[in-house]
Structures are given as C-alpha cells and as structure tokens.
Amino acid sequence: MEKRQEIGIAGTVAGLALVAGGAAFGAMLSRRHKGGSDDAPLFTRRKPGTDNPILGRTVTIRKGRSELYEFWRDFENLPRFMENVDEIRKDGDARIWVIKAPAGQTVEVRTEVVSDVENQTIAWRSVEGSDIETNGEVTFADAPGDRGTRVSLVMFYDPPAGSLGRVIAKAFQREPEVQARHDLKRFKMLMETGEIATSAHRKDNTRKAKQQENEQ
Amino acid sequence: MRALAWHGTHDVRVDTVPDPEIINPRDAILKITSTAICGSDLHLYDGVIPGVQPGDVLGHEFMGEVVETGSDSTLEKGQRVVVPFTISCGGCFHCKIQQYSACENSNPAEKQDMSASLYGHPMAALFGYSHLTGGYSGGQAEYVRVPFSDVGPIVIPDHLEDEKVLFLSDILPTGWMGAENAEIQPDDTVAVWGCGPVGLFAIQSAIVMGASKVIAIDHYPNRLNLAKQLGAETIDFRKTDVREALMEMSGGIGVDAVIDAVGMEAHGFAVDNMLDIAKQKIGMGADRASVLKQAILAVRPGGRVSIPGVYGGMTDKFPLGALMEKGLQVRSGQTHVQRYTKDLLEKIEDGTLDTTFLISHRLPLEDAARGYKCFHDEQDSWTKVVLKPDMSAGEKAT
Ligand SMILES: [Zn+2]
Ligand SMILES: [Zn+2]
C-alpha cells in the first residue's frame, strides 16, 4: 500500500520536474559546457553521494531545428508526449501546467518563459509561490550531416519542505530522470513518425487509457 | 479471437483473447492466413529469454489479408501482405540508413530501458518476442495489429501462394543476410553451422551468391539431406571432427567464411557448454556459444565470421586471441528485413530461390501447442511448421 503511494508521488514529481526557480540553476546552465577539465555536460558528472537535482538528456531527432523549436514553443503541444502533464494552458504571459498528482488529483504550477532564442533555446521557471520550484531549458543544435537536430533537456527542481517534500525528494533520486528520458523519446517518436509507439493490443489497453482509469 | 499464448516454460496454449484494434494512425489489422513457428520461438518455449509474460501472444513470422487500416496506413483492405518480424518506423536515423532492426522508435519508450541496460542501447521492437523487444502481440493468432504498416509489409501478387512467400517475414532474409554478412566471393569455401531453416536458407543464399563450396554442419540426417539437396557438402559433427574435416575440405587453408546459424542453444559436446547450460538455468547471462567458438577456430586467417544465430546474454572463454591474431571480421545482427524483401520476392518469382522445400508440417492454429512440442522434440523430421487459422482442427494436411 505504502509502496503504491510512493510510486504515485514519484510519478507526479516526475511531471513537476519538467516544469522548469533557483538562482543556482541559471548559473548551472551557463557553466554547462565548461563545468570542469573536460568537455562533457555538467549533468554527466559523477555525483558521489549527493542528491544532485540537476538532470539532463540529449536525443537526436531527424527534423530541422526550426520545426522542433516551433513545436516545443507551442507549449500546449507538450502534454502529447509528457506523460504526467495533463494540460498546459495560457494565462496572460504565464502558463499553467496541470500535472497529475496521487489519488487522481492534479497540481497546477504557474510558469513563465525566461529565455527564448529562436531555433536555439527555450527556458522556463516556476513563478514564486509554487509548491515545487523547477526550472527547465531545452536547446536545439544542428547534428552533423542529415542526422537532424540534437535536442537537450536540462532540469532543476527544489522539492517542498515538510514530510511530503521528503517523500518527493526521495522519489526524485531516480524517477524524474527516467521520466525525462521517456518523455524525450516520445517527443522524438512523435516528430519522426507522427505517432507514439505502443504495443497495446486494444485502445483501452494503452498506458494513457490505463492512467485515466486509475484516476477515476 | 483465438491465439497462441505463452504461459511458462514448455507451456503454450491456444486461448481466446480480445481482437486487436487500430490504435495509431499508421496501424493496420491483418487476418492471418499463414504463420510459422520459428527456431527462435523455441528460445521463448525453453524459457531462456527474459521479459515474457503469461498471456503474451507469440509469433513473428506471419502473413495475412488487410482487414482494417488506420488513417495514415498506405495499405488497402483486401491486400495480401507479408510482415517483417522487425518493427521499423521508417523515419529514424537507423531506418534511413537501412539498419531497420535498430529502429529507434518502434520499442515503446517505457520498454526501452530493459534492453538499454543490458546492451548499452535499447533494442528495436519485434513481434511476439518478449517485453525486451516491445511486448507486441504476435501473429500466431487469427488477427494481428501491425504498427507502421506503411513501412514493413510487402504486398504479394495474387498468383503466389502463401507458402512461397511466408518466409520473407524472417528466415529467408535472415539466411540471406547471414550469407551477405559472410561476404561470399566466387572462389570461397564457406561453412554453415546448423541446418535448421535459417541455416538452410543461408546455404541456398551462399550458393546463389556464387560460393564454390558450401559445407553444412549438423547431426540430424534429414536436415543434412536437405542441405545436400541444395548442393552443399555435409559434415555430421557426431561422427566427424569438424575442424579437421574443414581444414581438409578447404585444402588445408581453412574456410574463407563461417556462418553460425545455431546461436545460443547449441547441442555441442564441449565441456564448457555444460557449464554454460548450468549458468543459463540461473537466468539470462550465459549463452551456450560452442558453435561460435568452433567457427572462429575453423575460419582461415583474415576470414569472415557471420552470426545470424540468436544470442542474448554473455559468454565466457571466448576465443578472443584467435579473433585478434587471425585478423577476423565479425558481422551479426537481427535481420534488416525491409532491406531485402523486394529483391527476395523477385528471386522467389523468377525461381532463383525456393522456400517450400523445408516445410514439413501444416497444422491448424488450434494444434499450435502440439506444433511447438514436436518442432522442439523432433527436429530431424519437423523441419518447419506452418500454422493456418483457417484450417479446421480435424483437417490433416501435411
Ligand atoms: Zn523467426
Ligand atoms: Zn526507425
């Protein structure tokens, strides 16, 4: 029973991780490619014993930079491949991310875009007062030859205080990374094939359908 | 519908399961007309492939009639198609360079991690072959859902009967790629381990590619006889020292290329094989690689090693020194089926390749469990089993 709940929270948290605060984050992004003596991205550093909240992942997608950038910039598209995000809607200059929470509930996180360079990068962060502080940045770079575009997603989170926060923090040690990886893979599938692969045998057997069933 | 489902080691049953539905735009639904049991299905039957769950519908060699199409499918209802066992999207980097069996998009995102941790990269999806490869339902059933139906299936002309083309789904292109990976040259002497379906097709392909001599190695008399009929010379490994014989039959040079069409469940007598068998029982990890080891020792310096046989885990006591010191080339992989289907269909049509010679048994789908048992236990006489959902249970065609 307890285990089930943890999984639920972990799932929620994973979604939240994709909602992109913290001054440290901006500094981290700027140091991303010059983190130390080698040229590897900072998020690939070995992290001895620390709960490093920064995670990142790169995929190569066989589409041009502008097409991918345009698709991402239209935030309403993101729930199509981000499994734990139900909806992203505009609210003035900000956007409300509606994220799945345990026991069929949803959490709403208000975010704003902090950086937007056409065909290169989009960065966002949660606005003050959110339960969880998160930052995110997606960058688009040409891949060699006709391989398309290298898309990197980097995220930072700061879980809430209190007992729930501790559970979330614990869950964060692994889940967001897995979720981010899967979300990026789904983004790639959608852009390269027009659909997201599923081995379901029937419509009511897809992961999406099962999730909706669980929420009821 | 009725479908052959895995329930455990040496336990497969024909169950009633829900019909498949169109889920994604590029899907199609086929009504199966013919489907085969493959040697690699026996790895599932033997329980040596992880990630199979009770109730999973097996079968990756199948063909049928299109009965339903998604909005973006290029197939049309009523067409008869053969479907490659590897599921490929057509749009990713690997598909574009025709490495179809390394497709990046066919294995659902949440299922890619299993094989990624095992191999460093996720596997592409296959039909009916465990959740490591996506968990897609297979075609040993009345109906099957075919994703990316605009990329994989090849439409068959009406005048070609099922049995002539069914094996385009897997074993024919697998045998062909096995020979192609051996880089057959006209004056070559080539050795093929295993006279099961893939081995026999590799032999036929090597001969079509112009090898001067093909030597087939097995211990089942009937299978060796089939190889002989194709034009191969034979070695019964139970009676003959294989390496000695290959050296003599290649004029003391060693064979130019070797093809391991056996894979991880070799019957070899090697002592280390027994150790591998023991480890294999504990879980995935220890492949019985006696054939591959033998092949590497038998091939001439500078020769080519082709591995169409299926391996899944690790092996030990690998002849690494021989590989390096002799300067060998090794090529392997799941078959890039879509790369070959069109050319091989032409070769079937013009009579260059024959696919029907190895079919020993035709059974109704209802008898599939018996088909598995006999194909597993009586490999000499049950060389290839074709299942027909339309055939009534009482009907005994052979
Ligand atoms: Zn097969
Ligand atoms: Zn692909």
Side-chain angles (χ1 to χ4, degrees):
Chain A
M1 190 68 205
E2 217 169 275
K3 187 150 194 189
R4 269 182 74 96
Q5 193 187 359
E6 269 198 30
I7 289 164
I9 290 171
T12 306
V13 163
L16 290 174
L18 292 176
V19 185
F25 183 64
M28 186 279 295
L29 288 181
S30 64
R31 287 190 297 123
R32 205 174 60 244
H33 296 291
K34 42 184 181 208
S37 58
D38 67 17
D39 296 317
L42 190 62
F43 54 77
T44 61
R45 276 290 143 92
R46 296 184 192 280
K47 303 153 192 163
T50 64
D51 304 338
N52 195 324
I54 297 161
L55 40 109
R57 178 68 58 160
T58 302
V59 292
T60 301
I61 302 180
R62 266 189 87 257
K63 291 284 170 185
R65 267 197 294 154
S66 61
E67 188 180 340
L68 300 176
Y69 166 86
E70 292 295 341
F71 187 90
W72 195 289
R73 198 171 173 279
D74 193 355
F75 280 77
E76 287 75 13
N77 280 326
L78 304 189
R80 289 171 68 184
F81 62 87
M82 290 184 172
E83 198 166 56
N84 293 306
V85 182
D86 270 348
E87 184 192 358
I88 299 179
R89 61 170 192 267
K90 256 193 145 125
D91 182 30
D93 285 344
R95 284 185 179 78
I96 314 282
W97 295 54
V98 183
I99 293 157
K100 290 187 177 74
Q105 294 180 314
T106 54
V107 170
E108 299 198 352
V109 179
R110 201 179 162 86
T111 67
E112 62 179 23
V113 170
V114 290
S115 168
D116 184 357
V117 183
E118 194 177 350
N119 299 338
Q120 284 181 37
T121 183
I122 307 167
W124 58 93
R125 70 170 173 215
S126 55
V127 178
E128 239 185 284
S130 274
D131 280 346
I132 292 178
E133 283 187 41
T134 64
N135 271 352
E137 185 195 52
V138 60
T139 57
F140 306 91
D142 290 337
D146 65 353
R147 292 188 180 201
T149 305
R150 290 176 175 163
V151 181
S152 298
L153 178 63
V154 183
M155 293 175 302
F156 165 87
Y157 76 94
D158 194 3
S163 59
L164 177 67
R166 279 197 297 277
V167 172
I168 289 173
K170 190 169 171 232
F172 253 121
Q173 284 169 21
R174 190 179 130 77
E175 281 302 321
E177 199 150 350
V178 173
Q179 194 68 42
R181 184 163 76 237
H182 294 173
D183 285 346
L184 272 182
K185 289 261 168 88
R186 281 185 282 263
F187 178 47
K188 175 180 163 71
M189 285 172 180
L190 190 58
M191 301 312 291
E192 289 184 340
T193 77
E195 56 190 51
I196 291 169
T198 171
S199 55
H201 189 65
R202 298 177 63 80
K203 284 178 204 146
D204 59 10
N205 239 331
T206 59
R207 280 164 67 84
K208 203 162 194 148
K210 279 182 180 165
Q211 277 176 353
Q212 279 161 0
E213 206 173 282
N214 288 343
E215 283 160 25
Q216 281 157 12
Chain B
M1 68 166 183
R2 301 288 282 163
L4 188 278
W6 188 89
H7 285 273
T9 302
H10 299 153
D11 182 6
V12 292
R13 305 171 206 160
V14 175
D15 293 340
T16 297
V17 303
D19 289 355
E21 290 176 333
I22 297 281
I23 298 173
N24 277 333
R26 294 166 66 184
D27 290 354
I29 306 289
L30 299 191
K31 182 178 194 298
I32 302 294
T33 54
S34 298
T35 174
I37 306 176
C38 176
S40 39
D41 287 332
L42 296 182
H43 302 321
L44 300 168
Y45 191 66
D46 284 335
V48 297
I49 304 283
V52 197
Q53 295 167 8
D56 284 353
V57 175
L58 306 187
H60 59 270
E61 297 179 358
F62 57 86
M63 62 182 296
E65 187 191 323
V66 180
V67 292
E68 219 182 319
T69 54
S71 56
D72 293 343
S73 172
T74 51
L75 295 177
E76 291 164 21
K77 279 183 203 174
Q79 284 178 327
R80 201 163 54 104
V81 297
V82 175
V83 181
F85 77 104
T86 49
I87 305 175
S88 309
C89 79
C92 70
F93 168 70
H94 287 102
C95 283
K96 283 297 164 191
I97 60 170
Q98 295 202 312
Q99 291 179 348
Y100 293 103
S101 72
C103 175
E104 298 160 77
N105 292 322
S106 56
N107 199 343
E110 66 280 2
K111 304 215 175 190
Q112 294 188 6
D113 295 347
M114 270 189 272
S115 53
S117 58
L118 201 58
Y119 301 140
H121 286 79
M123 280 182 79
L126 311 177
F127 284 102
Y129 214 77
S130 98
H131 291 257
L132 275 179
T133 60
Y136 287 87
S137 290
Q140 288 164 1
E142 287 183 276
Y143 297 91
V144 68
R145 168 183 167 247
V146 178
F148 306 121
S149 67
D150 53 324
V151 177
I154 179 164
V155 179
I156 302 300
D158 288 343
H159 68 274
L160 289 173
E161 60 208 39
D162 278 21
E163 291 181 359
K164 288 202 149 175
V165 294
L166 172 60
F167 303 141
L168 284 168
S169 58
D170 176 359
I171 51 172
L172 180 61
T174 298
W176 184 268
M177 187 169 119
E180 194 179 83
N181 278 347
E183 291 181 12
I184 311 285
Q185 311 292 316
D187 295 331
D188 275 351
T189 300
V190 181
V192 180
W193 273 258
C195 296
V198 169
L200 288 167
F201 282 143
I203 291 165
Q204 193 181 26
S205 301
I207 290 168
V208 168
M209 290 175 189
S212 89
K213 187 188 283 203
V214 179
I215 303 163
I217 303 154
D218 205 302
H219 67 292
Y220 294 113
N222 180 46
R223 302 200 328 180
L224 285 168
N225 198 39
L226 287 172
K228 198 165 268 185
Q229 283 169 26
L230 289 171
E233 297 179 10
T234 60
I235 296 175
D236 180 340
F237 69 78
R238 290 213 160 143
K239 294 181 182 153
T240 301
D241 183 303
V242 174
R243 206 195 77 88
E244 283 283 304
L246 289 176
M247 283 300 288
E248 294 307 313
M249 291 161 90
S250 61
I253 291 177
V255 290
D256 299 288
V258 289
I259 301 175
D260 170 5
V262 177
M264 63 180 172
E265 290 198 88
H267 291 81
F269 293 124
V271 174
D272 61 309
N273 231 16
M274 299 311 291
L275 185 66
D276 284 353
I277 290 168
K279 288 189 201 156
Q280 204 168 40
K281 288 207 174 11
I282 303 163
M284 184 137 173
D287 286 346
R288 282 181 254 169
S290 64
V291 162
L292 183 58
K293 293 170 187 175
Q294 207 175 72
I296 287 172
L297 296 179
V299 72
R300 71 162 170 82
R304 289 94 58 189
V305 179
S306 165
I307 316 169
V310 172
Y311 291 95
M314 314 283 179
T315 189
D316 51 14
K317 293 177 288 303
F318 189 80
L320 189 57
L323 182 70
M324 188 275 163
E325 299 291 357
K326 296 208 291 188
L328 307 182
Q329 298 176 48
V330 181
R331 296 178 72 186
S332 82
Q334 294 284 1
T335 314
H336 305 305
V337 181
Q338 289 87 339
R339 194 198 282 177
Y340 304 103
T341 42
K342 192 168 163 286
D343 285 356
L344 293 179
L345 178 61
E346 279 171 18
K347 286 188 169 61
I348 291 167
E349 278 200 275
D350 69 20
T352 309
L353 292 172
D354 171 43
T355 64
T356 55
F357 72 94
L358 54 69
I359 301 173
S360 59
H361 295 80
R362 297 155 181 93
L363 300 176
L365 177 67
E366 287 301 321
D367 280 357
R370 185 167 79 90
Y372 267 79
K373 187 170 181 357
C374 294
F375 187 48
H376 181 268
D377 295 346
E378 298 166 45
Q379 298 198 6
D380 186 43
S381 49
W382 288 63
T383 51
K384 189 72 184 175
V385 185
V386 175
L387 302 170
K388 306 245 181 193
D390 272 353
M391 194 188 284
S392 66
E395 210 173 326
K396 276 280 180 295
T398 45

